[in-house]
Amino acid sequence: MTEFLRMSGIYWGTTCLDIMGHLDKLDKRSIIEFIKQCQCQKSGGISACDGHDPHLLYTLSAIQILCTYDSLNEIDVKAVGKYVAALQQPDGSFFGDKWGEVDTRFSFCAVAILALTQQMDLIDVDKAVEFVLSCANPDGGFGSKPHAESHAGLIYCCVGFLSITHNLHRLEVEKLAWWLCERQLKAGGLNGRPEKLPDVCYSWWVLSSLTILGRAHWISAEKLNEFIISCQDTDTGGFSDRPGNMPDIFHTLFGVGALSLLGHPNLKRINPTFCMPTEIVDKIFQVQILDS
């Protein structure tokens, strides 16, 4: 029942442990072998688990894991690039997989994969940018497609996308940042949409977006820090969506990731666009600059 989460789960776990300086607690070789088994020989895409269909979401997770281990050479990276490029549509959007769902999450996944593997020239970046910009709403936020409701998770994807493609200047930054700031509630936590409860994962989606926009100081870091810490389970150490609930690896990564953005002294700095340790991202792009 949980096979569809396996690749994502490995990404959440490896990244969280790396931020905390404990990546050595996992078996690197077995993780790499698992990813190799999940690459589709026909399409080049990567699935959540062996035997499942490949998808952009899991392909990005796999690429992020391999970047963490400096092991991109273990898979057919060129095939991954071709898989991503084949999913771009005439309007610039991306299907998530062969079944044809369009979502701005997939636009982010596509450019993140291609940026990390140095293959951005495989897609029509200008059309991809125009599609994402067409998903902006009058409130300053972004939805999954044109005219869809603004949502903090999708805003992260669109802001991250525009950051990777060097188009942040095309945003209405003040309006968008204000919408994001309004996600902070009295308890200090952040929600994803108006009138919703706070949730630890939005500590990442909202704070990372504000960080990219240079407006992280517009919310109370102290109150947000208190909310995130209140969601840690004292028995297991994991984080839940809100105080008193069951912890899980998903909320643990995004809680720890947000604490890193807030400057927690015991954590590595995290890149707000790629949700990976800054040292890894900096190394990747420094190598790309040297290669070019």
Side-chain angles (χ1 to χ4, degrees):
M1 290 177 64
T2 61
E3 284 185 343
F4 75 100
L5 285 173
R6 286 190 182 173
M7 192 64 73
S8 298
I10 296 171
Y11 160 68
W12 300 330
T14 54
T15 301
C16 194
L17 284 167
D18 196 10
I19 296 167
M20 296 187 293
H22 293 289
L23 186 59
D24 59 343
K25 294 186 180 297
L26 294 176
D27 182 355
K28 172 183 174 179
R29 193 67 246 166
S30 65
I31 289 173
I32 292 173
E33 289 302 319
F34 175 78
I35 293 173
K36 290 168 69 175
Q37 292 170 12
C38 293
Q39 183 169 30
C40 176
Q41 298 303 309
K42 183 177 180 180
S43 71
I46 301 173
S47 62
C49 187
D50 188 22
H52 287 230
D53 290 335
H55 195 288
L56 282 180
L57 289 172
Y58 310 120
T59 303
L60 175 57
S61 290
I63 294 297
Q64 289 173 301
I65 297 163
L66 292 171
C67 286
T68 295
Y69 284 121
D70 194 19
S71 298
L72 278 177
N73 62 315
E74 296 274 359
I75 63 166
D76 188 340
V77 174
K78 288 187 177 180
V80 169
K82 290 178 181 178
Y83 172 73
V84 174
L87 291 170
Q88 187 172 29
Q89 303 308 300
D91 66 353
S93 65
F94 286 84
F95 287 169
D97 59 13
K98 66 181 182 180
W99 301 110
E101 181 185 6
V102 170
D103 192 305
T104 46
R105 290 178 301 160
F106 310 148
S107 295
F108 171 75
C109 289
V111 298
I113 293 164
L114 297 178
L116 290 171
T117 60
Q118 202 172 355
Q119 300 184 90
M120 286 287 282
D121 59 322
L122 295 179
I123 62 168
D124 188 328
V125 176
D126 291 338
K127 279 191 174 182
V129 170
E130 292 307 318
F131 172 76
V132 168
L133 291 173
S134 75
C135 298
N137 290 319
D139 59 15
F142 287 81
S144 60
K145 51 182 66 70
H147 313 299
E149 179 185 10
S150 295
H151 186 284
L154 297 166
I155 288 171
Y156 161 79
C157 291
C158 293
V159 171
F161 171 96
L162 294 170
S163 174
I164 294 170
T165 59
H166 308 292
N167 279 278
L168 286 175
H169 62 282
R170 302 184 66 178
L171 284 169
E172 291 188 73
V173 173
E174 305 298 297
K175 184 186 288 188
L176 174 54
W178 181 247
W179 189 95
L180 290 166
C181 289
E182 288 187 315
R183 306 281 61 79
Q184 188 163 40
L185 305 177
K186 289 183 179 180
L190 302 165
N191 63 18
R193 292 175 290 165
E195 306 303 322
K196 296 294 184 177
L197 294 173
D199 186 320
V200 157
C201 71
Y202 294 111
S203 303
W204 173 260
W205 310 124
V206 174
L207 185 59
S208 60
S209 299
L210 287 170
T211 300
I212 295 169
L213 298 174
R215 301 294 189 278
H217 59 287
W218 281 18
I219 64 172
S220 171
E222 181 180 358
K223 286 187 175 181
L224 178 58
N225 182 81
E226 290 175 358
F227 175 79
I228 296 171
I229 295 300
S230 73
C231 295
Q232 184 175 22
D233 182 76
T234 55
D235 293 328
T236 66
F239 288 76
S240 59
D241 57 349
R242 55 187 64 92
N245 286 353
M246 183 70 69
D248 59 73
I249 190 65
F250 172 84
H251 288 94
T252 299
L253 167 61
F254 294 118
V256 171
L259 291 174
S260 173
L261 288 178
L262 291 170
H264 195 287
N266 296 325
L267 300 173
K268 293 182 181 179
R269 288 179 57 229
I270 192 168
N271 181 283
T273 299
F274 291 95
C275 194
M276 298 163 62
T278 299
E279 61 187 26
I280 294 175
V281 177
D282 288 350
K283 180 180 178 181
I284 290 170
F285 289 106
Q286 185 61 40
V287 169
Q288 291 183 8
I289 290 171
L290 292 174
D291 287 346
S292 63

